[in-house]
């Protein structure tokens, strides 16, 4: 009875959803008919290819091929990636794994060459699925995790993130790593709930496996039912075939063979509707095994069906084609790495030649000076004195440049401070005006023959409250001015108890508002991730402030030209040290720039826009003044992380 009732329920859902799905497809087709430009047509074809892939693969193939052809014709990389990757997914379901992987590798290459972050994540996820079908779960995890990193970093609310986490969970299940599998499927479920993302039926499928492992069979059955109901609601024959097969295997293990046969046949029927080869193989193999002891004729029929699907997916020709494809892709990646290495080696050679030339030049001057020394000691003495004088001037100039850098950082703070101080001053002005009005009312009431004491008490109370607020906001303005003076004055060298979180938040806001005041077109997202339990430490606040200001200014500079600018300031602590991390998702740095970044007078900014002393001063403040370290990690085209590490030992109060 339970099976029959659930069958009727699924049939009702299926009929309702099919009508809804039909409406969506009809709407997309209408948009395609009236689209005014080719780029819109390409994107709509990609949407139709994705929509059809779970219920009408022939239509999905048609729109995917048309979309790829038009995107190639108009040179539209984004549309090319989307149509190619969805088309490749359809090829996998139809049993053409070599074509599927070729399409995904092609889509991935186009996405990376054109810096299409969102489009990069999709073929990475689908390549993970291809390797999963080949039972190479470790390789599948490599691609899944690359896709996860992209979506977590840049698109945390994207509906595909929970699906990728679910795929990772499934791969860990296949590797018998139960704890990891449980962690990722729970994370997928929680993110779906928290960010209002539709729950994938595959999440329920994995949750059912967890309950089976825990021996909670009834909960597993409930999750299987939820997954099937959702897959029917989504009109996804593909997912229905997968969940039905797992449900049937569950009933096989619990010796409920009638239910096992029912769900295996259901999964096979859904897989056959869309020629989903993996679903046909899984379900027909299971039916052949069950019927082996019940009905030899039926067992043979299902075995032939399974063998045909297996040959389509994993026949010798396919495996050879896949191996060739993977070898070609690995060779292509090696060529890229070799070219990069050759370029770096060439740079090293140029550096060595330049170094050799300098050494030869130095040797020449040393030889010439040695000759002069022999012939004219007095002249050499004069030269030495001249060198000492020049060195003294250079040191004096260097000190002036360092002070100029400090004053320049103060200038960059000015606009941000003006923005910050305006708010408390507005409050002071407003409450002052109201206080004048209250005082006038008190005068008027005091002059009346009959004084209303209750009114006078209320007015006096309001006046006192206003004065408290004026005092509060006056102290806020005073605090901001004090911070500016602390930043501008020369360091006394004396350390004091410092709240690093408050200091970092203050300079983050001042830096941002200062840059906005200088450039109205500049805009960037920024956020903090502070350790709430961060201990206060003895530091020189104005010096640490200069370090933070310099790092944060550089971070905002690095994201000026990117599509989605973001700067993050994070704090954390370990047993031995406090870590301040300033991250930007900007242009990044080459290894050559990274090697020179803390050198005095080295700058990547245009002439006139940077002295090249900021990071050099920051390095000295942290390493010499506070016994800490400052490190940098950067990937060109992806962003940069600066790590300021202050030792806790002998530093806590």
């Amino acid at each position: 009875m339970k099976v029959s009732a659930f069958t009727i329920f699924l049939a009702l859902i299926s009929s309702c959803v099919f009508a809804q799905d039909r409406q969506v497809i009809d709407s997309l087709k209408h948009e395609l008919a009236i689209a005014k430009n080719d780029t819109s047509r390409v994107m709509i074809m990609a949407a139709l290819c994705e929509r059809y892939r779970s219920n009408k693969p022939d239509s999905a193939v048609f729109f995917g091929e048309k979309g790829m052809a038009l995107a190639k014709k108009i040179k539209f990389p984004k549309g090319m990636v989307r149509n190619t990757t969805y088309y490749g997914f359809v090829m996998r379901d139809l049993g053409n794994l070599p074509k599927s992987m070729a399409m995904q590798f092609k889509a991935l290459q186009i996405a990376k060459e054109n810096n299409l972050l969102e489009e990069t994540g999709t073929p990475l996820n689908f390549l993970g699925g291809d390797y999963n079908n080949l039972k190479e779960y470790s390789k599948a995890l490599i691609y899944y995790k690359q896709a996860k990193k992209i979506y977590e970093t840049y698109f945390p609310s994207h509906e595909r993130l929970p699906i990728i986490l679910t795929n990772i969970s499934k791969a860990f299940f296949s590797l018998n790593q139960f704890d990891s599998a449980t962690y990722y499927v729970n994370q997928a479920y929680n993110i779906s709930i928290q960010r209002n993302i539709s729950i994938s039926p595959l999440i329920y499928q994995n949750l059912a496996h967890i309950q089976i492992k825990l021996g909670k069979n009834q909960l597993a059955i409930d999750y299987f039912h939820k997954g099937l109901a959702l897959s029917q609601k989504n009109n996804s024959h593909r997912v229905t075939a997968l969940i039905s097969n797992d449900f049937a295997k569950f009933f096989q293990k619990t010796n409920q063979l009638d239910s096992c046969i029912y769900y295996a046949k259901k999964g096979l029927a859904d897989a056959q509707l869309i020629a989903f080869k993996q679903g046909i193989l899984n379900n027909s193999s299971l039916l052949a095994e069950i019927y082996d002891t019940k009905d030899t004729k039926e067992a043979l029929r299902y075995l032939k069906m399974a063998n045909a699907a297996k040959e389509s997916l994993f026949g010798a020709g396919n495996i050879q084609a896949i191996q060739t494809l993977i070898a070609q892709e690995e060779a292509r990646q090696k060529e890229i790495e070799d070219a990069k290495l050759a370029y770096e080696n060439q740079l090293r050679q140029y550096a060595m030649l330049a170094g050799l030339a300098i050494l030869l030049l130095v040797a020449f001057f040393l030889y010439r000076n040695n000759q002069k020394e022999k012939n004219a000691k007095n002249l050499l003495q004069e030269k030495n004195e001249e060198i000492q004088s020049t060195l003294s001037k250079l040191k004096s100039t260097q000190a002036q440049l360092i002070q100029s850098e400090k004053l320049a950082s103060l200038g960059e703070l000015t606009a941000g401070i003006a923005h910050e101080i305006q708010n408390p001053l507005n409050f002071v002005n407003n409450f002052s005006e109201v206080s004048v009005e209250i005082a006038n009312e008190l005068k008027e009431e005091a002059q009346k023959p009959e004084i209303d004491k209750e009114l006078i008490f209320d007015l006096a109370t309001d006046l006192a409250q206003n004065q408290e607020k004026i005092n509060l906001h006056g102290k806020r303005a005073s605090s901001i001015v004090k911070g500016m003076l602390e930043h501008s004055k020369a360091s006394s060298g004396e350390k004091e108890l410092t709240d690093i979180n408050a200091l970092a938040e203050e300079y983050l806001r001042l830096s941002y508002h200062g840059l906005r005041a200088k450039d109205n077109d500049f805009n960037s997202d920024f956020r903090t991730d502070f350790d709430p339990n961060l201990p206060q430490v003895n530091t020189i606040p104005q010096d640490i402030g200069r370090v933070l200001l310099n790092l944060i200014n550089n971070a905002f500079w690095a994201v000026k030209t990117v599509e989605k600018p973001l700067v993050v300031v994070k704090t954390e602590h370990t047993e031995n040290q406090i870590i301040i991390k300033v991250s930007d998702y900007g242009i990044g740095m080459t290894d050559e720039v990274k090697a020179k970044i803390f050198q005095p007078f080295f700058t990547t900014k245009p002439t006139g826009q940077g002295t090249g002393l900021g990071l050099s001063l920051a390095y000295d403040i942290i390493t010499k003044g506070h016994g800490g370290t400052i490190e940098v990690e950067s990937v060109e085209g992806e962003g940069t992380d600066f790590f300021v590490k202050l030792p806790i030992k002998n530093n806590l109060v």
Side-chain angles (χ1 to χ4, degrees), residues 17 49 112 130-131 181 198-199 280 287 330 343 350-351 430 466 469 551 633:
V17 173
C49 180
K112 285 186 174 180
D130 288 335
Y131 278 109
S198 298
I199 298 177
I280 293 172
L287 286 167
E330 289 176 349
Y343 176 72
Y350 288 151
N430 291 338
N466 282 358
K469 291 175 180 175
L551 295 180
E633 294 179 2

Side-chain angles (χ1 to χ4, degrees), residues 301-319:
R301 182 169 74 89
Y302 286 120
L303 183 61
K304 288 180 178 179
M305 197 180 299
N307 287 337
K310 185 176 182 180
E311 178 63 25
S312 175
L313 281 165
F314 308 114
N318 275 4
I319 297 302

Side-chain angles (χ1 to χ4, degrees), residues 292-360:
D292 188 45
T293 57
K294 294 169 65 73
D295 187 334
T296 306
K297 185 177 180 181
E298 280 293 280
L300 182 59
R301 182 169 74 89
Y302 286 120
L303 183 61
K304 288 180 178 179
M305 197 180 299
N307 287 337
K310 185 176 182 180
E311 178 63 25
S312 175
L313 281 165
F314 308 114
N318 275 4
I319 297 302
Q320 184 176 358
I322 289 170
Q323 290 173 343
T324 301
L325 180 67
I326 292 173
Q328 290 173 347
E329 179 63 18
E330 289 176 349
R332 190 182 73 83
Q333 292 295 335
K334 188 175 185 305
E335 285 180 6
I336 294 172
E337 290 299 320
D338 288 347
K340 182 180 178 181
L341 184 61
Y343 176 72
E344 291 173 352
N345 288 336
Q346 190 176 36
L347 289 179
R348 291 192 188 95
Q349 289 176 357
Y350 288 151
M352 289 176 63
L353 289 173
L356 180 60
I358 292 171
L359 285 174
L360 290 172

Side-chain angles (χ1 to χ4, degrees), residues 46-251:
L48 283 165
C49 180
E50 182 184 24
R51 176 66 60 171
Y52 272 126
R53 64 186 168 89
S54 289
N55 47 55
K56 283 191 176 181
D58 290 344
S59 297
V61 169
F62 172 78
F63 284 109
E65 289 177 344
K66 284 192 68 175
M68 285 189 292
L70 182 56
K72 183 178 181 181
K73 179 181 177 182
I74 64 174
K75 297 180 180 179
F76 180 31
K78 184 175 181 178
M80 188 67 183
V81 172
R82 288 205 182 181
N83 280 279
T84 302
T85 194
Y86 293 144
Y87 177 81
F89 196 165
V90 178
M91 290 296 103
R92 185 211 300 173
D93 285 353
L94 293 177
N96 194 339
L97 267 175
K99 188 68 172 287
S100 173
M101 297 186 77
M103 292 295 100
Q104 303 306 344
F105 281 132
K106 180 179 179 182
L108 183 60
Q109 181 181 353
I110 296 170
K112 285 186 174 180
E113 288 174 352
N114 292 276
N115 296 318
L116 301 171
L117 276 175
E118 183 177 356
E119 277 62 35
T120 301
T122 308
L124 284 171
N125 180 40
F126 289 165
L127 276 167
D130 288 335
Y131 278 109
N132 189 74
N133 275 25
L134 292 169
K135 301 187 186 304
E136 295 193 30
Y137 305 117
S138 296
K139 283 190 177 180
L141 280 172
I142 292 172
Y143 286 98
Y144 285 146
K145 287 185 176 181
Q146 288 181 40
K148 168 180 167 288
K149 182 178 180 181
I150 288 173
Y151 283 105
E152 280 186 337
T153 305
Y154 301 102
F155 314 101
S157 297
H158 200 289
E159 63 182 6
R160 189 164 282 125
L161 177 57
I163 295 174
I164 294 169
L165 293 170
T166 306
N167 289 339
I168 293 174
S169 171
K170 186 176 180 181
F172 275 122
F173 266 124
S174 299
L175 291 169
N176 293 317
Q177 297 182 33
F178 179 67
D179 290 342
S180 295
T182 302
Y183 169 78
Y184 281 104
V185 72
N186 285 335
Q187 191 179 13
Y189 181 82
N190 292 333
I191 287 175
S192 299
I193 297 297
Q194 293 166 5
R195 299 176 186 172
N196 198 26
I197 300 172
S198 298
I199 298 177
S200 167
L202 296 175
I203 293 178
Y204 287 122
Q205 180 190 25
N206 280 21
L207 288 171
H209 284 297
I210 292 174
Q211 300 309 317
I212 293 171
K213 284 277 188 179
L214 296 174
K216 299 179 181 180
N217 288 351
Q218 186 54 52
L219 277 175
I221 291 171
D222 292 342
Y223 280 128
F224 275 131
H225 281 317
K226 285 181 180 180
L228 282 174
L230 262 181
S231 66
Q232 291 279 30
K233 181 180 178 181
N234 297 337
N235 198 25
S236 176
H237 297 297
R238 177 181 183 278
V239 177
T240 299
L242 292 172
I243 298 177
S244 294
N245 180 253
D246 279 358
F247 207 1
K249 288 179 179 177
F250 166 77
F251 283 123

Side-chain angles (χ1 to χ4, degrees), residues 491-595:
S491 171
S492 65
E494 295 183 4
K495 296 181 179 180
E496 60 184 74
L497 193 64
T498 306
D499 184 342
I500 296 296
N501 284 345
L503 194 69
E505 184 170 13
E506 183 81 7
Y507 278 96
L508 176 61
R509 289 187 289 103
L510 291 176
S511 173
Y512 177 73
H513 291 305
L515 290 171
R516 284 275 296 160
K518 291 170 63 178
D519 183 359
N520 290 332
D521 294 330
F522 172 73
N523 201 0
S524 173
D525 285 338
F526 62 88
R527 67 170 183 256
T528 59
D529 183 9
F530 292 153
D531 183 346
N533 300 315
L534 197 72
Q536 292 189 340
V537 293
N538 268 331
T539 67
I540 305 171
Q542 60 265 41
D543 284 356
I544 298 298
R546 290 187 184 110
V547 173
L548 291 172
L549 179 65
N550 192 279
L551 295 180
I552 294 168
N553 280 346
N554 285 350
F556 279 125
W557 177 275
V559 300
K560 273 189 172 184
T561 58
V562 301
E563 184 178 353
K564 293 186 178 180
L566 173 63
V567 172
V568 179
V569 179
K570 178 180 180 181
T571 61
E572 59 182 312
H573 78 283
T574 65
E575 184 179 349
N576 300 318
Q577 63 184 357
I578 285 175
I579 302 170
I580 310 168
K581 180 181 178 184
V582 179
S583 303
D584 69 73
Y585 296 89
I587 56 177
M589 293 185 280
T590 63
D591 290 342
E592 184 181 8
V593 170
K594 251 192 321 187

